[in-house]
Amino acid sequence: MAIDINQLAERIANAVEAAPELAQQLVENPVATVERITGVTGGYDLTELFGLCLARLAEAGVDLSTVDLGKLDLSAIDVSRLSPDELLGLAARLNVDVSKLDMAAIASKMLGAGGLGGLLGGLFGGR
């Protein structure tokens, strides 16, 4: 049976709304926290689920100002597939402080394994 990612997102958002401390656990260890909340052990796209959960929490007006994004597990979320503008907008609506977010690590993941150096080398390396 296929997993309905929208239902998963709804269950997680409801759990975080009821217990906002779960948001920090989702940031630090998303796979284990999703499993603990939903009982689901895979078969879903974690990056898509992350985005859907944030959108639902923002719609509900949940205050996540206590979340420390400096502990975001970037190995679990494929930030290259997320819109920075959309994420920053959601963060603002959720009262999340993005100043601790490792923007260099995010930029590196968004630009690929070579990071900015690889991008610039590819653009100017032949000259």
Side-chain angles (χ1 to χ4, degrees):
M1 180 169 105
I3 295 172
D4 183 338
I5 198 157
N6 288 303
Q7 287 181 345
L8 273 181
E10 192 67 35
R11 287 172 61 190
I12 294 165
N14 288 341
V16 170
E17 191 171 1
E21 65 276 5
L22 286 173
Q24 186 64 49
Q25 294 171 24
L26 276 168
V27 164
E28 293 179 25
N29 193 346
V31 174
T33 306
V34 168
E35 182 178 345
R36 191 170 46 250
I37 292 171
T38 66
V40 176
T41 60
Y44 57 87
D45 180 328
L46 186 58
T47 301
E48 182 181 4
L49 182 61
F50 184 76
L52 289 170
C53 287
L54 288 177
R56 282 179 170 65
L57 290 167
E59 287 172 11
V62 176
D63 180 0
L64 298 180
S65 57
T66 61
V67 172
D68 180 0
L69 286 181
K71 297 179 180 179
L72 180 63
D73 181 0
L74 291 174
S75 67
I77 307 292
D78 182 2
V79 293
S80 69
R81 294 183 28 226
L82 300 173
S83 162
D85 290 338
E86 185 178 325
L87 283 177
L88 289 175
L90 289 171
R93 289 173 47 204
L94 293 165
N95 299 314
V96 175
D97 177 10
V98 295
S99 67
K100 292 183 181 178
L101 196 54
D102 186 351
M103 294 307 288
I106 289 175
S108 177
K109 286 193 78 126
M110 290 183 132
L111 293 171
L116 183 57
L119 177 66
L120 293 175
L123 291 174
F124 301 110
R127 297 183 184 217

